[in-house]
Amino acid sequence: MTDKQVDWNLLTLVGADRAGIVARVTRVLYGLGCHLGEASMIRLGGNFTIMLMVSAARPNADILAALAPVAAELELRVHLDAMSGGLHQHLLPNLQVRVTGADRAGIVADVTEILAAQGFNILELESDVAGDRDRPVYIMNIQGYSDHTIESLADALAPLSERGVAVDVAPVDVLIG
Amino acid sequence: MAILDILKLPDPRLKQISEPVTVFDQTLRDFIADLEATRLAGPSAVGIAAPQVGRFWRIVIVDLSTRPKTPNHGHLVLINPEITHWDGFAMGREGCLSVPDYTGNVIRATQIRLTAQNADGVEQEYEMNGFEARAVQHELDHLDGLLFVDRVVSRRTDLYRRKVYQ
Ligand SMILES: [Zn+2]
């Protein structure tokens, strides 16, 4: 499929997780003649979440109407929005930032504000809370791109270690072979 | 020297298993020169394997000599390579000349021992680690008809955390 002629929508689905959601939803989309592009599904807090590029093969109202019965049955919240952009727009990260610390409010803002000031463009971010209920540990892994050196990023992030947050900056070396 | 066409996914020939090299002659040396020219013509690949250009011989080139900070053995032509020892594992991001516009995370051994012949048929032994070991494992997979996409793991995959199903 050539991407140039395709207009894309972003379909977002959120609901209680159970087996078979992706199969049911994508069967409906296939029936409408929609192509699928990039997608990201993840369980967050026990919930099913997915963001999915869906070609605008039909008017949005038709797509939503076709999804409505499945969404009602599986108790999914649905969003469908026109999106600009398309496939083949990947950017490669050159740096990885790993953050670990006792869970506390503000940790993400603290880290990402410093990164933003360093011209760091976050391409991927995932975070989780590990440990146990009494001693939760916040873990975040960021991959992104910055023209600044690792040393300069590490220096900028160093003050966080005084506040009990371990931050590690490492190169992301993509092997092409 | 010629720049050869690179087979790209979903070309089924990429799944073919390559044959050992038995004759170390000028034809072999000419092919190696073409394979190297092809590697250098592409987007900064640190390695290339003969089956990527449709020659199903057990030959790979790995060259990390442009990365002084990465421990490496320089420009290597590895013929009939065999990994004899693996140790450790780490996740790293890979892409491939045969899989344009896609990168993914792959778990590889961090240390390997390797035997291979050079272009004159002389057997050599290597100990490699880190990025060079990863590059060699990626290229050797091509000789057995495997692509990194066959080994990609989710970027959320934690090497140590056990999965809990309920
Ligand atoms: Zn490859």
mmCIF file of all heavy atoms in Angstrom, chain B residues 14-30:
data_model
loop_
_atom_site.group_PDB
_atom_site.id
_atom_site.type_symbol
_atom_site.label_atom_id
_atom_site.label_comp_id
_atom_site.label_asym_id
_atom_site.label_seq_id
_atom_site.Cartn_x
_atom_site.Cartn_y
_atom_site.Cartn_z
ATOM 1 N N LEU B 14 15.428 -14.867 1.790
ATOM 2 C CA LEU B 14 16.103 -14.504 3.037
ATOM 3 C C LEU B 14 15.998 -15.613 4.083
ATOM 4 O O LEU B 14 16.716 -15.607 5.080
ATOM 5 C CB LEU B 14 15.520 -13.196 3.592
ATOM 6 C CG LEU B 14 15.894 -11.933 2.810
ATOM 7 C CD1 LEU B 14 15.010 -10.774 3.196
ATOM 8 C CD2 LEU B 14 17.366 -11.587 3.040
ATOM 9 N N LYS B 15 15.082 -16.559 3.880
ATOM 10 C CA LYS B 15 14.901 -17.682 4.829
ATOM 11 C C LYS B 15 15.790 -18.866 4.476
ATOM 12 O O LYS B 15 15.802 -19.873 5.176
ATOM 13 C CB LYS B 15 13.439 -18.151 4.796
ATOM 14 C CG LYS B 15 12.443 -17.067 5.128
ATOM 15 C CD LYS B 15 11.792 -17.336 6.456
ATOM 16 C CE LYS B 15 10.889 -16.185 6.862
ATOM 17 N NZ LYS B 15 10.830 -16.014 8.295
ATOM 18 N N GLN B 16 16.494 -18.764 3.361
ATOM 19 C CA GLN B 16 17.305 -19.885 2.891
ATOM 20 C C GLN B 16 18.552 -20.059 3.754
ATOM 21 O O GLN B 16 19.148 -19.074 4.193
ATOM 22 C CB GLN B 16 17.694 -19.602 1.432
ATOM 23 C CG GLN B 16 18.216 -20.792 0.681
ATOM 24 C CD GLN B 16 18.273 -20.484 -0.820
ATOM 25 O OE1 GLN B 16 17.377 -19.843 -1.370
ATOM 26 N NE2 GLN B 16 19.330 -20.930 -1.458
ATOM 27 N N ILE B 17 18.940 -21.295 3.974
ATOM 28 C CA ILE B 17 20.154 -21.572 4.743
ATOM 29 C C ILE B 17 21.346 -21.608 3.783
ATOM 30 O O ILE B 17 21.285 -22.240 2.737
ATOM 31 C CB ILE B 17 20.020 -22.896 5.518
ATOM 32 C CG1 ILE B 17 18.914 -22.722 6.575
ATOM 33 C CG2 ILE B 17 21.334 -23.310 6.163
ATOM 34 C CD1 ILE B 17 18.567 -23.970 7.338
ATOM 35 N N SER B 18 22.411 -20.910 4.151
ATOM 36 C CA SER B 18 23.569 -20.786 3.255
ATOM 37 C C SER B 18 24.511 -21.972 3.406
ATOM 38 O O SER B 18 24.563 -22.623 4.449
ATOM 39 C CB SER B 18 24.307 -19.478 3.542
ATOM 40 O OG SER B 18 23.489 -18.393 3.179
ATOM 41 N N GLU B 19 25.280 -22.209 2.357
ATOM 42 C CA GLU B 19 26.188 -23.355 2.288
ATOM 43 C C GLU B 19 27.611 -22.946 2.676
ATOM 44 O O GLU B 19 28.027 -21.810 2.403
ATOM 45 C CB GLU B 19 26.233 -23.883 0.845
ATOM 46 C CG GLU B 19 24.900 -24.376 0.316
ATOM 47 C CD GLU B 19 24.446 -25.655 1.007
ATOM 48 O OE1 GLU B 19 25.322 -26.423 1.468
ATOM 49 O OE2 GLU B 19 23.223 -25.855 1.096
ATOM 50 N N PRO B 20 28.371 -23.875 3.267
ATOM 51 C CA PRO B 20 29.770 -23.566 3.590
ATOM 52 C C PRO B 20 30.576 -23.253 2.322
ATOM 53 O O PRO B 20 30.290 -23.784 1.244
ATOM 54 C CB PRO B 20 30.281 -24.861 4.226
ATOM 55 C CG PRO B 20 29.066 -25.583 4.693
ATOM 56 C CD PRO B 20 27.967 -25.206 3.743
ATOM 57 N N VAL B 21 31.578 -22.386 2.504
ATOM 58 C CA VAL B 21 32.513 -22.080 1.419
ATOM 59 C C VAL B 21 33.610 -23.137 1.443
ATOM 60 O O VAL B 21 34.170 -23.437 2.503
ATOM 61 C CB VAL B 21 33.119 -20.678 1.613
ATOM 62 C CG1 VAL B 21 34.205 -20.408 0.582
ATOM 63 C CG2 VAL B 21 32.032 -19.616 1.550
ATOM 64 N N THR B 22 33.906 -23.721 0.278
ATOM 65 C CA THR B 22 34.953 -24.754 0.224
ATOM 66 C C THR B 22 36.118 -24.331 -0.655
ATOM 67 O O THR B 22 37.218 -24.859 -0.529
ATOM 68 C CB THR B 22 34.377 -26.080 -0.318
ATOM 69 O OG1 THR B 22 33.705 -25.816 -1.549
ATOM 70 C CG2 THR B 22 33.381 -26.675 0.668
ATOM 71 N N VAL B 23 35.882 -23.378 -1.558
ATOM 72 C CA VAL B 23 36.934 -22.966 -2.491
ATOM 73 C C VAL B 23 37.303 -21.514 -2.205
ATOM 74 O O VAL B 23 36.452 -20.626 -2.246
ATOM 75 C CB VAL B 23 36.451 -23.103 -3.952
ATOM 76 C CG1 VAL B 23 37.559 -22.685 -4.912
ATOM 77 C CG2 VAL B 23 35.991 -24.529 -4.236
ATOM 78 N N PHE B 24 38.568 -21.293 -1.894
ATOM 79 C CA PHE B 24 39.047 -19.949 -1.584
ATOM 80 C C PHE B 24 39.863 -19.449 -2.777
ATOM 81 O O PHE B 24 41.077 -19.565 -2.802
ATOM 82 C CB PHE B 24 39.863 -19.967 -0.293
ATOM 83 C CG PHE B 24 39.025 -20.312 0.906
ATOM 84 C CD1 PHE B 24 38.682 -21.629 1.191
ATOM 85 C CD2 PHE B 24 38.544 -19.309 1.739
ATOM 86 C CE1 PHE B 24 37.880 -21.943 2.285
ATOM 87 C CE2 PHE B 24 37.746 -19.618 2.831
ATOM 88 C CZ PHE B 24 37.415 -20.929 3.102
ATOM 89 N N ASP B 25 39.160 -18.879 -3.748
ATOM 90 C CA ASP B 25 39.828 -18.495 -4.997
ATOM 91 C C ASP B 25 39.536 -17.029 -5.343
ATOM 92 O O ASP B 25 38.940 -16.297 -4.543
ATOM 93 C CB ASP B 25 39.376 -19.424 -6.141
ATOM 94 C CG ASP B 25 37.871 -19.354 -6.356
ATOM 95 O OD1 ASP B 25 37.193 -18.561 -5.644
ATOM 96 O OD2 ASP B 25 37.368 -20.082 -7.225
ATOM 97 N N GLN B 26 39.925 -16.624 -6.520
ATOM 98 C CA GLN B 26 39.731 -15.235 -6.932
ATOM 99 C C GLN B 26 38.240 -14.892 -7.035
ATOM 100 O O GLN B 26 37.839 -13.769 -6.725
ATOM 101 C CB GLN B 26 40.437 -14.984 -8.270
ATOM 102 C CG GLN B 26 40.488 -13.508 -8.670
ATOM 103 C CD GLN B 26 41.185 -12.658 -7.600
ATOM 104 O OE1 GLN B 26 42.186 -13.057 -7.024
ATOM 105 N NE2 GLN B 26 40.630 -11.477 -7.317
ATOM 106 N N THR B 27 37.415 -15.858 -7.444
ATOM 107 C CA THR B 27 35.970 -15.622 -7.511
ATOM 108 C C THR B 27 35.432 -15.225 -6.139
ATOM 109 O O THR B 27 34.622 -14.308 -6.007
ATOM 110 C CB THR B 27 35.254 -16.915 -7.995
ATOM 111 O OG1 THR B 27 35.871 -17.342 -9.196
ATOM 112 C CG2 THR B 27 33.781 -16.666 -8.223
ATOM 113 N N LEU B 28 35.917 -15.936 -5.115
ATOM 114 C CA LEU B 28 35.501 -15.624 -3.749
ATOM 115 C C LEU B 28 35.957 -14.213 -3.377
ATOM 116 O O LEU B 28 35.179 -13.407 -2.853
ATOM 117 C CB LEU B 28 36.081 -16.651 -2.772
ATOM 118 C CG LEU B 28 35.803 -16.379 -1.286
ATOM 119 C CD1 LEU B 28 34.331 -16.590 -0.966
ATOM 120 C CD2 LEU B 28 36.658 -17.262 -0.385
ATOM 121 N N ARG B 29 37.218 -13.905 -3.685
ATOM 122 C CA ARG B 29 37.741 -12.578 -3.310
ATOM 123 C C ARG B 29 36.995 -11.472 -4.058
ATOM 124 O O ARG B 29 36.708 -10.418 -3.499
ATOM 125 C CB ARG B 29 39.251 -12.518 -3.579
ATOM 126 C CG ARG B 29 40.053 -13.300 -2.529
ATOM 127 C CD ARG B 29 41.556 -13.120 -2.697
ATOM 128 N NE ARG B 29 42.086 -13.872 -3.811
ATOM 129 C CZ ARG B 29 42.421 -15.173 -3.733
ATOM 130 N NH1 ARG B 29 42.299 -15.843 -2.609
ATOM 131 N NH2 ARG B 29 42.897 -15.798 -4.791
ATOM 132 N N ASP B 30 36.658 -11.716 -5.312
ATOM 133 C CA ASP B 30 35.884 -10.719 -6.071
ATOM 134 C C ASP B 30 34.509 -10.511 -5.451
ATOM 135 O O ASP B 30 34.026 -9.379 -5.343
ATOM 136 C CB ASP B 30 35.713 -11.174 -7.533
ATOM 137 C CG ASP B 30 37.025 -11.105 -8.304
ATOM 138 O OD1 ASP B 30 37.981 -10.469 -7.799
ATOM 139 O OD2 ASP B 30 37.095 -11.693 -9.398
#
